[in-house]
């Protein structure tokens, strides 16, 4: 969007520089010309109650994609379990608007989740996993994803209140962790989200 045309709007959410120079950020029209803090504050007032976590023991390149999708579905927070550093390229700057928290160990993460009253729901195609398509996802939960190559660690599997599998029909053994996260988040939205609110500008 180019510079604002016409009389300048009034209010603390408007960014004078963006109004003057134009807004080329990847944000929905609702937030055009808003300053960063105002956007985050508005998101914070409307965030969903589900959380997302991904294990990061080998610097998984999918984390950026998970963060971007969590922003799209307005997850409350994204949790990085393991190594603090992660590749932000795939997030496409959405990490500026999405709260990201770090937990050094699975044990610390699980203790935090239990303290917040969140069910820990693992997502992995493991023997004994329950189909996500028929599972009644709890409203207050954290969806946990493992590394691309090895899936969830034993520590998460043992701590999880449930482990859910996504239906697959082709020849591949697994799907990309970023894609799995998107499917799982959308499953939560179908159970608990205001679907009409997700289709407005």
């Amino acid at each position: 969007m180019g510079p604002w045309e016409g009389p300048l709007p009034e209010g603390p959410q408007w960014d004078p520089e963006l109004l003057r120079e134009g807004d080329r950020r990847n944000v929905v029209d609702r937030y055009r010309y808003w300053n960063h803090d105002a956007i985050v504050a508005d998101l914070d007032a409307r965030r969903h109650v589900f959380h997302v976590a991904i294990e990061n023991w080998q610097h998984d390149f999918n984390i950026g994609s998970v963060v971007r999708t969590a922003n799209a579905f307005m997850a409350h927070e994204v949790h990085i379990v393991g190594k603090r550093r992660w590749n932000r390229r795939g997030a496409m700057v959405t990490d500026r608007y999405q709260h990201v928290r770090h937990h050094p160990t699975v044990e610390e993460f699980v203790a935090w989740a239990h303290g917040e009253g969140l069910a820990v729901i693992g997502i992995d195609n493991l023997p004994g996993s329950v189909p996500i398509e028929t599972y009644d996802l709890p409203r207050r939960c954290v969806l946990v994803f493992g590394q691309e190559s090895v899936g969830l660690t034993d520590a998460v599997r043992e701590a999880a209140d449930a482990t859910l599998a996504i239906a697959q029909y082709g020849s591949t053994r697994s799907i990309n962790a970023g894609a799995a996260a998107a499917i799982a988040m959308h499953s939560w939205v179908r159970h608990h989200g205001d679907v009409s609110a997700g289709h407005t500008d």
Side-chain angles (χ1 to χ4, degrees), residues 26-104:
N26 181 23
V27 296
V28 296
D29 288 345
R30 162 191 182 91
Y31 294 134
R32 289 292 181 196
Y33 305 105
W34 282 32
N35 65 63
H36 171 264
D37 290 345
I39 294 174
V40 173
D42 189 69
L43 290 170
D44 285 348
R46 300 183 298 109
R47 291 190 195 277
H48 290 129
V49 296
F50 79 92
H51 294 241
V52 177
I54 185 165
E55 295 189 271
N56 183 36
W57 309 109
Q58 302 168 357
H59 294 301
D60 197 321
F61 291 105
N62 289 287
I63 293 177
S65 175
V66 172
V67 170
R68 182 180 181 183
T69 304
N71 172 269
F73 289 120
M74 210 156 60
H76 199 80
E77 285 184 328
V78 174
H79 302 263
I80 312 298
V81 182
K83 296 181 179 180
R84 180 181 295 274
R85 294 184 62 185
W86 55 280
N87 190 316
R88 285 171 165 75
R89 185 176 302 174
M92 301 292 288
V93 196
T94 55
D95 55 305
R96 295 190 63 206
Y97 306 98
Q98 179 65 51
H99 298 300
V100 179
R101 186 192 298 243
H102 174 247
H103 305 268

Side-chain angles (χ1 to χ4, degrees), residues 1-11 13-25 28-35:
M1 301 290 286
W4 183 274
E5 296 181 3
L8 293 178
E10 297 182 359
Q13 75 270 35
W14 304 104
D15 186 304
E17 182 177 348
L18 294 175
L19 291 170
R20 183 176 63 252
E21 304 293 337
D23 189 351
R24 294 169 179 80
R25 300 172 300 175
V28 296
D29 288 345
R30 162 191 182 91
Y31 294 134
R32 289 292 181 196
Y33 305 105
W34 282 32
N35 65 63

